[in-house]
Amino acid sequence: MRLTNLLRTTVSAAVVGACAFGFAGVASAQDAPQESATSIDDIIVTAQKREQNLQDVPIVVTTLSQETLEGAGVRDIKDLQILTPGLIVTSTTNESVTTARIRGVGTVADNPGIESSVGIVIDGVYRSRNGVGFGDLGELSRVEILKGPQGTLFGKNTSAGVINIISEAPSFTPGFQGEITGGNFGAFGASASVTGGITDQVAGRLYVGHRERDGFYNVTIPAGGPRTETDDQNQDFWTARGQLLILPSDSASIRIIADYSDRSEYCCVASQVITGPTGAIINALTPGGTGIRGPVTPNYAAATPHSFSRDVYANRPTEQFIEDMGLSAEANIDLDSMNATLTSVTAWRNWESVNGGDIDFSGADLFYRDSDGSFSFALEQVSQELRLAGSTDRVDWLVGGLWSHEDLQRNDSFLFGGGASFYLSALLASQAGLPGSAATFLSCATAPFPFNVGCGLGGFVAPGAPGLSIAPGSGYKDRYSQGSESFALFTNNTFRVTEQFELTLGLRYTKETKEMMTNQDNIGGNGAICAAARANPLFAPPSPLNGFLGGGFCINQLNTDFDGRTYLQEFEDDDISGKFAAQYRFNDSLMVYASYARGFKAGGFNLERSSGPTVVGNTNPSPIDDTSFASETVQSYELGFKSTLFDRSLLLNATAYEQNFENFQLNTFVSPNFIVESIPELNSRGVDLDFFWFTPLEGLSFSGGATWTESEYGMFTAADLQVPSRFPALSLLPGNTVSFAPEYTGSVAMNFDRSIGNGLRLGLNLAAKYTTEYNTGSDLLPAKMQDAFTVVNGRITIGSEDDRWALDLWAQNLTDEEYYQVVFNGPLQGSAFSTLQPNGTYYNPAADTTTYDAFLGAPRTYGLTLRVKY
């Protein structure tokens, strides 16, 4: 029984691939003969943890075959965007900070205390952070993108959807595949895999790959460095993946997977979009006089955005080292007496990222992080899932449980460079608007009594006894240790009321506990400036300069109150989520369904320094002891149909949806740190459309889809936030469109493959995605808008009819479209939010002095790939 099912599964995976591209011999080393599919009947998905035809599942699923992925050049989850309307994947300060969003829902991942709203599952194992799932995916069987809450079967943190990745399994038929790639930007890649039977009951598969490429940015380094690399966002990694498939009997199978990846790269610098008045100070502090893109503008209202450019400035290295490894075992046992299958999935994963960074994103030596481990993130996860699934004449039933334990270690650092003291002195002096030398402001403000008495409202002069300065290399080094444990029980059951009418009921109980230990330390005498400024009566309320404590001398990076803090926090929550769906099949060609689902995303802790004023009328900030944020929940309603038309050659599916989120976990920049704040309400509604068409012309097919989305925050005030003082930085959100939520997205792919005689075949692939404008900033500042754009990928393949060899000419971003991944505030480079405005926000374009930086989308890349298969 088990062997028969295994062969059927292998063939199904092959047919899914052939269905999307029409290629023969698509799955590696098949155990049974296959033919190219010409209808949609054999598109198989596992969206409900059992094999089902796509058209029988009451869920919005975009399924991507092996050939579709190969034709579009998919190597990692970011590449999936072009094939999936409504999916956006971005990276920010380094490649480990990668975030996926579906239907306009998700949040940036700069704070590892927050888990994603889009779950990534690879071979049945959940990756708790999107960055942990970012890497070379290797040999793929297919990818399924499930839209909407999927918590019943896939667990917590899938409130927006799931990216379900299924890799190629071992085969008992011997086979070998290899490829070598060369391209622009010095790209080189090579990979190889081998599979076959080891014994009559054991088959194996081994995949090894390496890729390298020069960076996409041209970096100007001022004299003295210490950076030496003149490019950035390069690629240099290798990965290995070994598998064993064990068939101890006809009714049992065990699949063991071990994988390891290692990356040693540079990422990420940023390009300026608008340069505020602080740019003049940065240029003055940079050897050679230019450390940031110009021209400098006084405020956003007077600004004209710079032209798109990959020429940037940096003086500090941006190393990133990522090591990822894991081991999993999936066992399936057929219980014939129950007509059921018992499944066990046991997994262990360990992931670590160590990064350095030039965090002022300029040529001046202001702020940086070393790659010595003081800025790093490590995650170890152990999980055990058990499922029992079976069928009767009337019911498909499933029950299960999941236990997982996670240990998270985060080291956070912020170090001051040689120019930081003068920069902050000049910055604060210019903001004060008082006469006197900018260079003397910091010294005057921190001078000891009675010399600081002369630092009055009339101006700033050099005191008789000098004050303090910021020592190069000083700053802070904090450590966060979080342990979390999750337990869940779940069931999902489909009742066939009649031959045409089915009801599905799913429930899940989840309990989550977290414990977080914080250790915060200032180093190099850091904090003395804050203490000295607090002792200066000039900054005591009701002085108009009191704001310089919270906005300058005692920001989190300088605040003496953080030094030596050690404290423990605990969090516990439980929830019941689930799904109810009704589906009715009018005939073999049309099924309609309606569903309700409730999703759950556990709360947690900010793993950043967080502070706020503790006394009304005094901006002197103090650390916030409770850094927790609440659990997020969503209620989703869907109404859709799935149809198969024109002699089953056309698939056309459409779904209308409404999603209501409560306590949406927003990770945003509240100067000068990233924090997670729970937004009371977020509503998302829209329509998903998917199609697939096998044309009458042999070998030609089209696929694609479109999404209309309207995602908006509900109305809220400062009183609705956990920390009311954060409201000014969030004041543009109430009632407005969520970031990364374009109103329309559309994808289309053309695939052609057929014999051209003389033992040769020709393949053509063209994939494109159109996205309307959207805001890339979680605070919705207008400078962070991205205009509508289109990305096109293409591939031409010539190869043998027996698939022994193939040569691909390919291009990604064929038209070299210029677009921003994320636009963000330059750290400590101006201020966007000011005083309360008549419209109820705290934003005035004429008072916005921020320098805006951007992480750019990838440029056009192209090359040749030679593939062989035996």
Side-chain angles (χ1 to χ4, degrees), residues 511-535:
K511 183 174 182 179
E512 179 95 359
T513 59
K514 293 181 178 179
E515 185 176 273
M516 199 261 286
M517 175 64 74
T518 298
N519 301 96
Q520 296 169 328
D521 288 295
N522 294 345
I523 63 171
N526 182 34
I529 284 176
C530 174
R534 285 172 173 171

Side-chain angles (χ1 to χ4, degrees), residues 400-665:
L402 173 70
W403 168 85
S404 67
H405 179 82
E406 178 182 278
D407 286 320
L408 183 156
Q409 305 289 329
R410 192 208 185 186
N411 294 332
D412 187 23
S413 65
F414 187 102
L415 303 176
F416 293 102
S421 190
F422 183 90
Y423 174 78
L424 289 176
S425 183
L427 175 63
L428 295 173
S430 65
Q431 291 177 353
L434 300 175
S437 169
T440 64
F441 181 82
L442 186 63
S443 178
C444 191
T446 60
F449 181 83
F451 302 101
N452 57 23
V453 175
C455 298
L457 297 180
F460 297 93
V461 296
L468 303 174
S469 62
I470 300 173
S474 65
Y476 70 72
K477 293 185 177 181
D478 299 342
R479 298 166 305 285
Y480 303 89
S481 300
Q482 177 178 288
S484 63
E485 197 152 8
S486 181
F487 174 75
L489 294 173
F490 55 91
T491 182
N492 195 72
N493 310 283
T494 299
F495 304 90
R496 286 179 286 277
V497 181
T498 69
E499 290 297 319
Q500 297 172 295
F501 184 50
E502 295 183 358
L503 297 175
T504 298
L505 175 64
L507 290 172
R508 188 182 190 98
Y509 170 77
T510 302
K511 183 174 182 179
E512 179 95 359
T513 59
K514 293 181 178 179
E515 185 176 273
M516 199 261 286
M517 175 64 74
T518 298
N519 301 96
Q520 296 169 328
D521 288 295
N522 294 345
I523 63 171
N526 182 34
I529 284 176
C530 174
R534 285 172 173 171
N536 189 337
L538 173 67
F539 300 105
S543 167
L545 298 183
N546 176 249
F548 281 94
L549 292 181
F553 297 112
C554 293
I555 58 175
N556 292 345
Q557 288 85 349
L558 294 167
N559 197 325
T560 187
D561 293 340
F562 284 101
D563 190 28
R565 293 181 82 230
T566 298
Y567 62 101
L568 178 70
Q569 296 183 80
E570 296 180 344
F571 173 90
E572 182 175 322
D573 198 6
D574 61 356
D575 186 81
I576 296 178
S577 54
K579 177 177 181 177
F580 177 76
Q583 61 189 87
Y584 185 84
R585 181 167 292 283
F586 288 92
N587 50 50
D588 289 342
S589 299
L590 179 63
M591 183 266 280
V592 297
Y593 68 94
S595 67
Y596 163 81
R598 186 181 190 278
F600 168 73
K601 181 181 175 186
F605 303 102
N606 280 291
L607 305 186
E608 290 264 6
R609 291 190 169 194
S610 183
S611 64
T614 57
V615 178
V616 176
N618 188 347
T619 67
N620 184 13
S622 296
I624 294 174
D625 292 327
D626 182 6
T627 67
S628 65
F629 49 88
S631 297
E632 173 184 303
T633 60
V634 58
Q635 298 190 73
S636 174
Y637 308 86
E638 295 188 354
L639 178 65
F641 70 85
K642 296 194 172 187
S643 63
T644 307
L645 308 172
F646 303 128
D647 197 25
R648 311 195 71 75
S649 64
L650 174 65
L651 175 153
L652 182 62
N653 299 338
T655 300
Y657 64 87
E658 172 87 21
Q659 301 177 149
N660 307 121
F661 290 80
E662 292 186 3
N663 293 323
F664 176 72
Q665 297 168 2

Side-chain angles (χ1 to χ4, degrees), residues 79 159 235 250 289 293 393 428 459 464 470 538 569 653 705 747-748 808 824 864:
D79 294 331
S159 53
Q235 189 177 79
D250 287 345
R293 291 189 66 200
D393 292 340
L428 295 173
I470 300 173
L538 173 67
Q569 296 183 80
N653 299 338
S747 297
V748 64
D808 299 333
F824 61 98
L864 289 171

Side-chain angles (χ1 to χ4, degrees), residues 290-366:
T290 304
I292 196 168
R293 291 189 66 200
V296 172
T297 186
N299 55 64
Y300 177 72
T304 298
H306 304 325
S307 61
F308 191 94
S309 176
R310 299 184 186 276
D311 296 326
V312 300
Y313 296 88
N315 73 301
R316 292 281 180 174
T318 54
E319 299 106 325
Q320 66 171 17
F321 308 102
I322 301 176
E323 186 179 51
D324 182 25
M325 66 187 76
L327 179 66
S328 66
E330 178 177 330
N332 291 277
I333 303 173
D334 285 339
L335 305 175
D336 294 340
S337 61
M338 301 176 59
N339 192 29
T341 299
L342 177 64
T343 300
S344 169
V345 181
T346 307
W348 167 83
R349 296 212 62 81
N350 190 81
W351 184 88
E352 182 175 3
S353 172
V354 176
N355 304 94
D358 189 334
I359 52 178
D360 54 68
F361 300 98
S362 75
D365 190 26
L366 305 182

